[in-house]
Amino acid sequence: MLFWWIIKTTIRRKKEKTMKRKPTHPGNVFLEDVLKPLNLSITEAARMLGISRKALSEFVHEKVSMSPEMAIRISRATGTSVESWMNMQQKLTIWEAEQNIVNNVIMFPGLSMDSTVAL
């Protein structure tokens, strides 16, 4: 019984360390911090990015995730790094996955939440 209490306590502590607030979708960042200040329409921006209006609309309205190709296009158009755009998407993707994680995962014997495993 003590073993299961330790596992449950460890899992609860791990969950407490996860991000509570949902990260902002990179499409929303692009819309609010790039398109609106530059007074660009989705149609104009899509043409400048070399993509369809529908593809950009779905992205800024958070219907689709950011692809590496979209990150490259946006980084070239804005003079920002591809990594900064992909990091936003990665944080959101991980947060969403953590919201749906199953509770029946058990730590491998001999490992603790504080130990590190070289990959």
Side-chain angles (χ1 to χ4, degrees), residues 11-64:
I11 291 171
R12 187 176 69 245
R13 286 183 184 156
K14 176 68 175 166
K15 283 183 179 179
E16 290 170 0
K17 291 181 183 178
T18 61
M19 185 181 290
K20 302 253 190 264
R21 184 186 66 80
K22 181 179 181 179
T24 305
H25 190 284
N28 181 269
V29 173
F30 184 66
L31 178 65
E32 296 296 328
D33 295 349
V34 179
L35 296 185
K36 286 184 178 180
L38 294 175
N39 202 28
L40 285 173
S41 69
I42 291 176
T43 303
E44 292 169 321
R47 182 184 53 76
M48 296 170 88
L49 291 169
I51 60 175
S52 71
R53 182 197 181 291
K54 180 181 178 189
L56 185 57
S57 178
E58 288 177 344
F59 172 64
V60 299
H61 292 105
E62 304 178 26
K63 304 291 185 212
V64 297

Side-chain angles (χ1 to χ4, degrees), residues 82-100:
V82 175
E83 293 80 10
S84 65
W85 291 100
M86 290 307 298
N87 285 340
M88 281 186 258
Q89 182 60 55
Q90 183 179 22
K91 285 180 182 182
L92 176 60
T93 302
I94 291 170
W95 185 89
E96 290 172 343
E98 286 177 339
Q99 304 315 300
N100 300 313

Side-chain angles (χ1 to χ4, degrees), residues 49 70-82 85:
L49 291 169
M70 181 72 82
I72 291 168
R73 291 174 183 275
I74 289 174
S75 72
R76 288 184 181 170
T78 60
T80 56
S81 73
V82 175
W85 291 100

Side-chain angles (χ1 to χ4, degrees), residues 10-11 13-14 17 107 110-117:
T10 304
I11 291 171
R13 286 183 184 156
K14 176 68 175 166
K17 291 181 183 178
M107 180 77 61
L111 298 178
S112 70
M113 294 299 252
D114 298 326
S115 66
T116 57
V117 177

